[in-house]
Amino acid sequence: KGASVIVAARSPVRGQAAVDDIKREVGLKAKVEFMPLDLASLASIRTFAQQFKESQRPLHALVLNAGVMMCPFNTTKDGFEMQIGTNHLGHFLLTHLLLDTVIASAPSRIVVVSSMAHENPYEPEGIRFDQWTTDTGYSEMMAYGQSKLANVLMAKALARRLEGRRVFTNVCHPGVIVTELQRHLEDKLTAMGTLGSFIRFALEGLVGPGLMHADDGALTQLYLAAHPDVEAQGIHGQYFEPVAWATAPTAHALNETLQDILWDISETLVRVAKVPPRPKA
């Protein structure tokens, strides 16, 4: 389609390698470049956004695709628990800083990549705001689910704030994909020895048939970012599963009160101007 694509990544080596791979696949004339971005650092996010905006380019599709999964307790450079800090707050700040450009580029798209893991957050609250900076009660699995629930809540809240602006904002579960995202789970299973091997065998039996290659795992995001149906049909504020199938997320994710609480607290934590909901017609 001739789009100019920016590959944003924490590692310059791996980011540039991705750019090189794309050019080998598509052709050397492909308009793709690398820019450094560490979503675990608010300073890095601000630098990236400033540099992008200084280029005065439009932004027709913003895909929020970074992820940290089930890692041992650690914190971002700003002191937030790593999974909520990277998977949610990093994307939240990046979106805020680029939002005026996305709006000015309309018709445009924002695609938030969540996970079916949003179905398994901390219960009964869904989001435990008081645990965003502490390891008290920390669960690697539920912290991941919390961060993925936050992705859906943010997307839903953002879609309400962008109603009528032709910025088509949607969220998706991309599928269970074979990538390095599961490396912390693999490390834990390996450390468990024989029991870990048994659990791995059982998991492979349960999810193995549904595992997707990374290329297939990108299809739902690509649909939401580039397919003409999204604009033609006014697809906005929806949750998708692979491949490009609209469905309903959990009750937590549909809770507008929780969406707005998350939004307000996130605005305060990353220190940005407030974006109020647009009044309903």
Side-chain angles (χ1 to χ4, degrees):
K1 293 180 177 286
S4 297
V5 176
I6 293 174
V7 175
R10 180 179 56 188
S11 166
V13 173
R14 301 184 70 173
Q16 189 58 50
V19 168
D20 295 341
D21 286 344
I22 294 170
K23 288 187 174 181
R24 277 192 296 270
E25 188 78 21
V26 179
L28 294 178
K29 292 184 179 180
K31 294 179 286 185
V32 56
E33 63 183 280
F34 164 75
M35 287 182 64
L37 171 62
D38 181 359
L39 284 167
S41 165
L42 300 184
S44 174
I45 297 166
R46 293 183 186 279
T47 297
F48 173 90
Q50 179 180 348
Q51 290 175 346
F52 177 83
K53 296 178 84 167
E54 286 174 351
S55 72
Q56 298 186 325
R57 288 180 285 189
L59 182 54
H60 294 112
L62 174 62
V63 181
L64 306 173
N65 192 47
V68 181
M69 178 180 175
M70 294 176 61
C71 57
F73 182 83
N74 195 7
T75 59
T76 67
K77 293 178 175 63
D78 303 279
F80 302 113
E81 184 272 312
M82 185 63 71
Q83 297 188 83
I84 198 71
T86 302
N87 298 351
H88 167 60
L89 288 173
H91 286 138
F92 184 87
L93 176 59
L94 180 66
T95 303
H96 262 261
L97 296 177
L98 296 176
L99 193 56
D100 55 348
T101 303
V102 177
I103 292 172
S105 304
S108 49
R109 321 275 181 95
I110 298 176
V111 181
V112 183
V113 181
S114 180
S115 167
M116 66 179 182
H118 86 276
E119 300 172 2
N120 296 289
Y122 291 110
E123 293 291 1
E125 312 95 318
I127 304 289
R128 291 187 177 173
F129 297 100
D130 60 346
Q131 292 186 358
W132 284 15
T133 57
T134 177
D135 62 352
T136 302
Y138 179 72
S139 161
E140 297 167 4
M141 183 176 295
M142 287 187 286
Y144 180 64
Q146 171 182 244
S147 73
K148 295 288 99 180
L149 173 59
N151 290 153
V152 187
L153 291 166
M154 170 191 148
K156 291 285 189 180
L158 181 59
R160 288 193 285 117
R161 285 158 174 78
L162 293 175
E163 196 68 49
R165 291 183 179 269
R166 301 183 76 214
V167 179
F168 301 95
T169 302
N170 295 285
V171 56
C172 69
H173 162 55
V176 182
I177 307 166
V178 182
T179 68
E180 291 187 12
L181 185 62
Q182 297 91 359
R183 63 188 181 277
H184 295 295
L185 175 59
E186 282 292 326
D187 290 345
K188 182 179 286 270
L189 293 176
T190 299
M192 293 171 68
T194 303
L195 178 59
S197 298
F198 175 79
I199 295 173
R200 183 184 291 108
F201 178 79
L203 288 173
E204 289 174 352
L206 288 171
V207 304
L211 286 175
M212 303 173 71
H213 187 272
D215 289 350
D216 295 327
L219 291 176
T220 302
Q221 297 92 293
L222 286 172
Y223 172 81
L224 294 172
H227 200 285
D229 279 359
V230 173
E231 184 178 342
Q233 298 178 18
I235 296 172
H236 180 68
Q238 295 193 38
Y239 176 80
F240 281 77
E241 292 183 348
V243 174
W245 182 263
T247 186
T250 63
H252 279 316
L254 295 172
N255 185 329
E256 290 192 5
T257 299
L258 186 57
Q259 292 169 16
D260 288 336
I261 292 172
L262 176 89
W263 188 274
D264 290 344
I265 288 176
S266 300
E267 282 181 328
T268 299
L269 291 175
V270 302
R271 302 181 298 280
V272 292
K274 293 187 177 298
V275 180
R278 291 173 69 84
K280 294 181 180 179

